[in-house]
Amino acid sequence: MNDTRHAELARATSETDISIALTLDGEGRSDIQTGIGFFDHMLTALARHGGLDLTVHAKGDLHIDGHHTVEDIGIVLGQVLRQAVGDKRGIERFGHALVPLDEALCEAVVDLSGRPYLAWNVIFTREKIGEMDTELFEEFFRAFAMSAHIALHLTTKSGTNAHHIAESTFKAVARALRMAISRDPRAIGTIPSTKGVL
């Protein structure tokens, strides 16, 4: 078991150079530098509302577009989460949250199951928020879920403002993850599965 619940990882390709550090039992502190302003804002919210200490430093081929940078951050963040959680002994495993932001309401449900899956039912009202393509949010969460080996269901319940929809989605994921990675005082030292392994 990873008692420190901390992990760091660097990944460099011909398209991106990314380093991420994550502490699960943190204070919501963050140092986010992706080169995409709105994405920085979303990852900062993820850390704050997830109670995570998160550092993300990324350099990508933004002269092309943000796709490689956003997707690769999702890959590395998922890998770091999986490493930090360890064998999942003594955690809650499941988490869920409904988070409003003005007219927007988004739901996140997560299972640290070891089986990667993304169910994406988030609808945006425009193609861009700032300089970020809204279609990249699905790419980020898919890469994150696949690399973290988690099942993640995201649903827009209501909303018309794209900024609000995105932010409520990230905050809902943060709160659901916070619940799922929490230690269960009734299950200390046990794997939360009838199979005995996750």
Side-chain angles (χ1 to χ4, degrees):
M1 182 176 179
N2 183 352
D3 290 327
T4 62
R5 306 233 297 176
H6 174 85
E8 300 181 20
L9 185 63
R11 179 179 187 264
T13 72
S14 62
E15 297 167 341
T16 61
D17 188 349
I18 296 165
S19 62
I20 295 181
L22 174 67
T23 300
L24 299 186
D25 304 303
E27 300 175 358
R29 295 175 297 190
S30 61
D31 176 10
I32 313 295
Q33 300 173 37
T34 70
I36 305 170
F38 189 75
F39 195 36
D40 289 358
H41 180 42
M42 293 299 96
L43 293 176
T44 299
L46 183 71
R48 171 62 64 189
H49 296 281
L52 310 169
D53 289 345
L54 177 63
T55 299
V56 178
H57 291 170
K59 294 180 180 178
D61 52 2
L62 297 180
H63 61 286
I64 296 174
D65 68 8
H67 189 285
H68 297 143
T69 300
V70 171
E71 183 178 35
D72 286 4
I73 288 172
I75 291 170
V76 179
L77 183 59
Q79 292 172 339
V80 167
L81 175 66
R82 183 155 48 100
Q83 185 178 337
V85 170
D87 66 2
K88 304 170 190 171
R89 196 174 299 274
I91 66 167
E92 291 283 355
R93 175 181 167 177
F94 301 100
H96 60 88
L98 271 168
V99 173
L101 180 57
D102 297 345
E103 89 299 341
L105 178 65
C106 292
E107 178 183 51
V109 182
V110 65
D111 177 10
L112 305 189
S113 60
R115 298 184 305 277
Y117 187 81
L118 176 69
W120 179 261
N121 295 291
V122 179
I123 299 169
F124 287 101
T125 54
R126 65 178 194 257
E127 294 182 356
K128 280 185 175 290
I129 305 174
E131 297 179 353
M132 186 167 182
D133 295 329
T134 52
E135 68 181 9
L136 294 181
F137 295 117
E138 181 178 2
E139 297 304 320
F140 167 75
F141 282 115
R142 176 170 290 109
F144 173 64
M146 296 301 125
S147 294
H149 293 184
I150 64 176
L152 179 60
H153 289 244
L154 297 174
T155 305
T156 300
K157 296 293 188 178
S158 65
T160 55
N161 182 291
H163 185 132
H164 293 168
I165 292 167
E167 190 165 341
S168 61
T169 299
F170 273 80
K171 288 177 177 177
V173 171
R175 297 302 297 190
L177 277 175
R178 185 172 186 155
M179 182 184 297
I181 64 177
S182 294
R183 299 185 191 273
D184 183 351
R186 297 175 298 173
I188 296 171
T190 64
I191 302 291
S193 171
T194 55
K195 293 191 290 290
V197 64
L198 283 173

PDB file of all heavy atoms in Angstrom, residues 56-80:
ATOM      1  N   VAL A  56       1.033  20.436 -12.103  1.00  0.00           N
ATOM      2  CA  VAL A  56       1.025  20.046 -13.511  1.00  0.00           C
ATOM      3  C   VAL A  56       1.830  21.073 -14.284  1.00  0.00           C
ATOM      4  O   VAL A  56       1.449  22.246 -14.341  1.00  0.00           O
ATOM      5  CB  VAL A  56      -0.403  19.975 -14.088  1.00  0.00           C
ATOM      6  CG1 VAL A  56      -0.353  19.605 -15.569  1.00  0.00           C
ATOM      7  CG2 VAL A  56      -1.261  18.994 -13.319  1.00  0.00           C
ATOM      8  N   HIS A  57       2.937  20.639 -14.862  1.00  0.00           N
ATOM      9  CA  HIS A  57       3.729  21.486 -15.748  1.00  0.00           C
ATOM     10  C   HIS A  57       3.761  20.814 -17.114  1.00  0.00           C
ATOM     11  O   HIS A  57       4.196  19.662 -17.226  1.00  0.00           O
ATOM     12  CB  HIS A  57       5.151  21.672 -15.215  1.00  0.00           C
ATOM     13  CG  HIS A  57       5.211  22.485 -13.966  1.00  0.00           C
ATOM     14  ND1 HIS A  57       6.344  22.614 -13.210  1.00  0.00           N
ATOM     15  CD2 HIS A  57       4.266  23.243 -13.339  1.00  0.00           C
ATOM     16  CE1 HIS A  57       6.104  23.396 -12.167  1.00  0.00           C
ATOM     17  NE2 HIS A  57       4.850  23.788 -12.227  1.00  0.00           N
ATOM     18  N   ALA A  58       3.275  21.519 -18.116  1.00  0.00           N
ATOM     19  CA  ALA A  58       3.179  20.922 -19.443  1.00  0.00           C
ATOM     20  C   ALA A  58       3.602  21.907 -20.515  1.00  0.00           C
ATOM     21  O   ALA A  58       3.275  23.088 -20.453  1.00  0.00           O
ATOM     22  CB  ALA A  58       1.751  20.452 -19.711  1.00  0.00           C
ATOM     23  N   LYS A  59       4.338  21.392 -21.495  1.00  0.00           N
ATOM     24  CA  LYS A  59       4.664  22.125 -22.705  1.00  0.00           C
ATOM     25  C   LYS A  59       4.231  21.257 -23.872  1.00  0.00           C
ATOM     26  O   LYS A  59       4.624  20.097 -23.967  1.00  0.00           O
ATOM     27  CB  LYS A  59       6.164  22.427 -22.786  1.00  0.00           C
ATOM     28  CG  LYS A  59       6.659  23.376 -21.701  1.00  0.00           C
ATOM     29  CD  LYS A  59       8.149  23.637 -21.838  1.00  0.00           C
ATOM     30  CE  LYS A  59       8.629  24.592 -20.738  1.00  0.00           C
ATOM     31  NZ  LYS A  59      10.098  24.840 -20.820  1.00  0.00           N
ATOM     32  N   GLY A  60       3.382  21.828 -24.734  1.00  0.00           N
ATOM     33  CA  GLY A  60       2.872  21.054 -25.847  1.00  0.00           C
ATOM     34  C   GLY A  60       2.874  21.838 -27.136  1.00  0.00           C
ATOM     35  O   GLY A  60       3.207  23.027 -27.161  1.00  0.00           O
ATOM     36  N   ASP A  61       2.486  21.169 -28.208  1.00  0.00           N
ATOM     37  CA  ASP A  61       2.475  21.784 -29.535  1.00  0.00           C
ATOM     38  C   ASP A  61       1.196  22.608 -29.731  1.00  0.00           C
ATOM     39  O   ASP A  61       0.367  22.329 -30.604  1.00  0.00           O
ATOM     40  CB  ASP A  61       2.625  20.714 -30.621  1.00  0.00           C
ATOM     41  CG  ASP A  61       1.623  19.578 -30.492  1.00  0.00           C
ATOM     42  OD1 ASP A  61       0.764  19.615 -29.568  1.00  0.00           O
ATOM     43  OD2 ASP A  61       1.692  18.643 -31.312  1.00  0.00           O
ATOM     44  N   LEU A  62       1.071  23.645 -28.898  1.00  0.00           N
ATOM     45  CA  LEU A  62      -0.127  24.475 -28.934  1.00  0.00           C
ATOM     46  C   LEU A  62      -0.227  25.302 -30.209  1.00  0.00           C
ATOM     47  O   LEU A  62      -1.294  25.847 -30.509  1.00  0.00           O
ATOM     48  CB  LEU A  62      -0.163  25.404 -27.710  1.00  0.00           C
ATOM     49  CG  LEU A  62      -0.254  24.683 -26.350  1.00  0.00           C
ATOM     50  CD1 LEU A  62      -0.282  25.708 -25.222  1.00  0.00           C
ATOM     51  CD2 LEU A  62      -1.460  23.773 -26.286  1.00  0.00           C
ATOM     52  N   HIS A  63       0.872  25.401 -30.970  1.00  0.00           N
ATOM     53  CA  HIS A  63       0.803  26.087 -32.256  1.00  0.00           C
ATOM     54  C   HIS A  63      -0.056  25.290 -33.243  1.00  0.00           C
ATOM     55  O   HIS A  63      -0.539  25.843 -34.243  1.00  0.00           O
ATOM     56  CB  HIS A  63       2.208  26.287 -32.837  1.00  0.00           C
ATOM     57  CG  HIS A  63       2.942  25.013 -33.088  1.00  0.00           C
ATOM     58  ND1 HIS A  63       3.485  24.247 -32.069  1.00  0.00           N
ATOM     59  CD2 HIS A  63       3.223  24.362 -34.242  1.00  0.00           C
ATOM     60  CE1 HIS A  63       4.072  23.179 -32.584  1.00  0.00           C
ATOM     61  NE2 HIS A  63       3.933  23.228 -33.896  1.00  0.00           N
ATOM     62  N   ILE A  64      -0.250  23.998 -32.949  1.00  0.00           N
ATOM     63  CA  ILE A  64      -1.158  23.177 -33.763  1.00  0.00           C
ATOM     64  C   ILE A  64      -2.569  23.310 -33.195  1.00  0.00           C
ATOM     65  O   ILE A  64      -3.459  23.830 -33.843  1.00  0.00           O
ATOM     66  CB  ILE A  64      -0.704  21.701 -33.773  1.00  0.00           C
ATOM     67  CG1 ILE A  64       0.670  21.593 -34.446  1.00  0.00           C
ATOM     68  CG2 ILE A  64      -1.732  20.822 -34.491  1.00  0.00           C
ATOM     69  CD1 ILE A  64       1.281  20.219 -34.400  1.00  0.00           C
ATOM     70  N   ASP A  65      -2.758  22.810 -31.997  1.00  0.00           N
ATOM     71  CA  ASP A  65      -3.972  23.032 -31.209  1.00  0.00           C
ATOM     72  C   ASP A  65      -3.739  22.429 -29.826  1.00  0.00           C
ATOM     73  O   ASP A  65      -2.628  21.984 -29.524  1.00  0.00           O
ATOM     74  CB  ASP A  65      -5.246  22.483 -31.890  1.00  0.00           C
ATOM     75  CG  ASP A  65      -5.289  20.965 -31.979  1.00  0.00           C
ATOM     76  OD1 ASP A  65      -4.421  20.288 -31.382  1.00  0.00           O
ATOM     77  OD2 ASP A  65      -6.200  20.453 -32.650  1.00  0.00           O
ATOM     78  N   GLY A  66      -4.769  22.402 -29.010  1.00  0.00           N
ATOM     79  CA  GLY A  66      -4.591  21.931 -27.647  1.00  0.00           C
ATOM     80  C   GLY A  66      -4.784  20.447 -27.440  1.00  0.00           C
ATOM     81  O   GLY A  66      -4.619  19.950 -26.319  1.00  0.00           O
ATOM     82  N   HIS A  67      -5.106  19.712 -28.499  1.00  0.00           N
ATOM     83  CA  HIS A  67      -5.505  18.317 -28.350  1.00  0.00           C
ATOM     84  C   HIS A  67      -4.445  17.456 -27.675  1.00  0.00           C
ATOM     85  O   HIS A  67      -4.724  16.755 -26.694  1.00  0.00           O
ATOM     86  CB  HIS A  67      -5.873  17.730 -29.717  1.00  0.00           C
ATOM     87  CG  HIS A  67      -6.497  16.368 -29.644  1.00  0.00           C
ATOM     88  ND1 HIS A  67      -5.771  15.233 -29.388  1.00  0.00           N
ATOM     89  CD2 HIS A  67      -7.791  15.972 -29.770  1.00  0.00           C
ATOM     90  CE1 HIS A  67      -6.581  14.187 -29.381  1.00  0.00           C
ATOM     91  NE2 HIS A  67      -7.809  14.607 -29.606  1.00  0.00           N
ATOM     92  N   HIS A  68      -3.219  17.483 -28.196  1.00  0.00           N
ATOM     93  CA  HIS A  68      -2.174  16.618 -27.647  1.00  0.00           C
ATOM     94  C   HIS A  68      -1.878  16.955 -26.197  1.00  0.00           C
ATOM     95  O   HIS A  68      -1.691  16.067 -25.361  1.00  0.00           O
ATOM     96  CB  HIS A  68      -0.889  16.734 -28.483  1.00  0.00           C
ATOM     97  CG  HIS A  68      -1.048  16.285 -29.894  1.00  0.00           C
ATOM     98  ND1 HIS A  68      -0.420  16.911 -30.949  1.00  0.00           N
ATOM     99  CD2 HIS A  68      -1.786  15.283 -30.441  1.00  0.00           C
ATOM    100  CE1 HIS A  68      -0.740  16.314 -32.078  1.00  0.00           C
ATOM    101  NE2 HIS A  68      -1.572  15.321 -31.804  1.00  0.00           N
ATOM    102  N   THR A  69      -1.838  18.243 -25.891  1.00  0.00           N
ATOM    103  CA  THR A  69      -1.534  18.666 -24.524  1.00  0.00           C
ATOM    104  C   THR A  69      -2.610  18.198 -23.554  1.00  0.00           C
ATOM    105  O   THR A  69      -2.312  17.621 -22.502  1.00  0.00           O
ATOM    106  CB  THR A  69      -1.392  20.201 -24.462  1.00  0.00           C
ATOM    107  OG1 THR A  69      -0.321  20.602 -25.329  1.00  0.00           O
ATOM    108  CG2 THR A  69      -1.105  20.664 -23.044  1.00  0.00           C
ATOM    109  N   VAL A  70      -3.868  18.430 -23.885  1.00  0.00           N
ATOM    110  CA  VAL A  70      -4.969  18.066 -22.994  1.00  0.00           C
ATOM    111  C   VAL A  70      -5.051  16.553 -22.823  1.00  0.00           C
ATOM    112  O   VAL A  70      -5.185  16.043 -21.697  1.00  0.00           O
ATOM    113  CB  VAL A  70      -6.298  18.635 -23.533  1.00  0.00           C
ATOM    114  CG1 VAL A  70      -7.487  18.095 -22.749  1.00  0.00           C
ATOM    115  CG2 VAL A  70      -6.277  20.158 -23.477  1.00  0.00           C
ATOM    116  N   GLU A  71      -4.979  15.820 -23.920  1.00  0.00           N
ATOM    117  CA  GLU A  71      -5.076  14.357 -23.841  1.00  0.00           C
ATOM    118  C   GLU A  71      -3.912  13.765 -23.060  1.00  0.00           C
ATOM    119  O   GLU A  71      -4.099  12.879 -22.206  1.00  0.00           O
ATOM    120  CB  GLU A  71      -5.123  13.755 -25.246  1.00  0.00           C
ATOM    121  CG  GLU A  71      -5.296  12.249 -25.241  1.00  0.00           C
ATOM    122  CD  GLU A  71      -5.389  11.673 -26.639  1.00  0.00           C
ATOM    123  OE1 GLU A  71      -4.721  12.195 -27.564  1.00  0.00           O
ATOM    124  OE2 GLU A  71      -6.127  10.696 -26.814  1.00  0.00           O
ATOM    125  N   ASP A  72      -2.711  14.256 -23.318  1.00  0.00           N
ATOM    126  CA  ASP A  72      -1.538  13.690 -22.639  1.00  0.00           C
ATOM    127  C   ASP A  72      -1.527  14.022 -21.153  1.00  0.00           C
ATOM    128  O   ASP A  72      -1.076  13.217 -20.330  1.00  0.00           O
ATOM    129  CB  ASP A  72      -0.255  14.174 -23.315  1.00  0.00           C
ATOM    130  CG  ASP A  72      -0.018  13.496 -24.662  1.00  0.00           C
ATOM    131  OD1 ASP A  72      -0.890  12.709 -25.092  1.00  0.00           O
ATOM    132  OD2 ASP A  72       1.027  13.767 -25.291  1.00  0.00           O
ATOM    133  N   ILE A  73      -2.037  15.179 -20.773  1.00  0.00           N
ATOM    134  CA  ILE A  73      -2.182  15.489 -19.348  1.00  0.00           C
ATOM    135  C   ILE A  73      -3.159  14.500 -18.715  1.00  0.00           C
ATOM    136  O   ILE A  73      -2.941  14.011 -17.603  1.00  0.00           O
ATOM    137  CB  ILE A  73      -2.625  16.941 -19.141  1.00  0.00           C
ATOM    138  CG1 ILE A  73      -1.467  17.894 -19.466  1.00  0.00           C
ATOM    139  CG2 ILE A  73      -3.110  17.171 -17.699  1.00  0.00           C
ATOM    140  CD1 ILE A  73      -1.848  19.355 -19.485  1.00  0.00           C
ATOM    141  N   GLY A  74      -4.238  14.190 -19.410  1.00  0.00           N
ATOM    142  CA  GLY A  74      -5.170  13.192 -18.912  1.00  0.00           C
ATOM    143  C   GLY A  74      -4.509  11.843 -18.710  1.00  0.00           C
ATOM    144  O   GLY A  74      -4.728  11.167 -17.690  1.00  0.00           O
ATOM    145  N   ILE A  75      -3.668  11.429 -19.653  1.00  0.00           N
ATOM    146  CA  ILE A  75      -2.953  10.158 -19.544  1.00  0.00           C
ATOM    147  C   ILE A  75      -2.061  10.142 -18.313  1.00  0.00           C
ATOM    148  O   ILE A  75      -2.102   9.217 -17.491  1.00  0.00           O
ATOM    149  CB  ILE A  75      -2.125   9.896 -20.824  1.00  0.00           C
ATOM    150  CG1 ILE A  75      -3.044   9.605 -22.009  1.00  0.00           C
ATOM    151  CG2 ILE A  75      -1.142   8.741 -20.604  1.00  0.00           C
ATOM    152  CD1 ILE A  75      -2.328   9.578 -23.348  1.00  0.00           C
ATOM    153  N   VAL A  76      -1.246  11.174 -18.167  1.00  0.00           N
ATOM    154  CA  VAL A  76      -0.284  11.209 -17.064  1.00  0.00           C
ATOM    155  C   VAL A  76      -0.992  11.355 -15.720  1.00  0.00           C
ATOM    156  O   VAL A  76      -0.636  10.692 -14.734  1.00  0.00           O
ATOM    157  CB  VAL A  76       0.760  12.328 -17.269  1.00  0.00           C
ATOM    158  CG1 VAL A  76       1.739  12.369 -16.103  1.00  0.00           C
ATOM    159  CG2 VAL A  76       1.513  12.126 -18.579  1.00  0.00           C
ATOM    160  N   LEU A  77      -2.023  12.189 -15.660  1.00  0.00           N
ATOM    161  CA  LEU A  77      -2.759  12.360 -14.405  1.00  0.00           C
ATOM    162  C   LEU A  77      -3.421  11.051 -13.991  1.00  0.00           C
ATOM    163  O   LEU A  77      -3.430  10.693 -12.806  1.00  0.00           O
ATOM    164  CB  LEU A  77      -3.801  13.468 -14.553  1.00  0.00           C
ATOM    165  CG  LEU A  77      -4.593  13.798 -13.277  1.00  0.00           C
ATOM    166  CD1 LEU A  77      -3.663  14.225 -12.143  1.00  0.00           C
ATOM    167  CD2 LEU A  77      -5.619  14.893 -13.563  1.00  0.00           C
ATOM    168  N   GLY A  78      -3.962  10.311 -14.940  1.00  0.00           N
ATOM    169  CA  GLY A  78      -4.546   9.013 -14.630  1.00  0.00           C
ATOM    170  C   GLY A  78      -3.515   8.040 -14.090  1.00  0.00           C
ATOM    171  O   GLY A  78      -3.760   7.325 -13.109  1.00  0.00           O
ATOM    172  N   GLN A  79      -2.343   8.012 -14.706  1.00  0.00           N
ATOM    173  CA  GLN A  79      -1.277   7.120 -14.251  1.00  0.00           C
ATOM    174  C   GLN A  79      -0.812   7.488 -12.845  1.00  0.00           C
ATOM    175  O   GLN A  79      -0.568   6.612 -12.005  1.00  0.00           O
ATOM    176  CB  GLN A  79      -0.098   7.170 -15.231  1.00  0.00           C
ATOM    177  CG  GLN A  79      -0.417   6.563 -16.585  1.00  0.00           C
ATOM    178  CD  GLN A  79       0.686   6.802 -17.611  1.00  0.00           C
ATOM    179  OE1 GLN A  79       1.500   7.714 -17.468  1.00  0.00           O
ATOM    180  NE2 GLN A  79       0.710   5.995 -18.652  1.00  0.00           N
ATOM    181  N   VAL A  80      -0.720   8.784 -12.584  1.00  0.00           N
ATOM    182  CA  VAL A  80      -0.282   9.249 -11.272  1.00  0.00           C
ATOM    183  C   VAL A  80      -1.329   8.911 -10.209  1.00  0.00           C
ATOM    184  O   VAL A  80      -0.989   8.485  -9.096  1.00  0.00           O
ATOM    185  CB  VAL A  80       0.015  10.766 -11.314  1.00  0.00           C
ATOM    186  CG1 VAL A  80       0.175  11.342  -9.927  1.00  0.00           C
ATOM    187  CG2 VAL A  80       1.270  11.032 -12.137  1.00  0.00           C
TER     188      VAL A  80
END
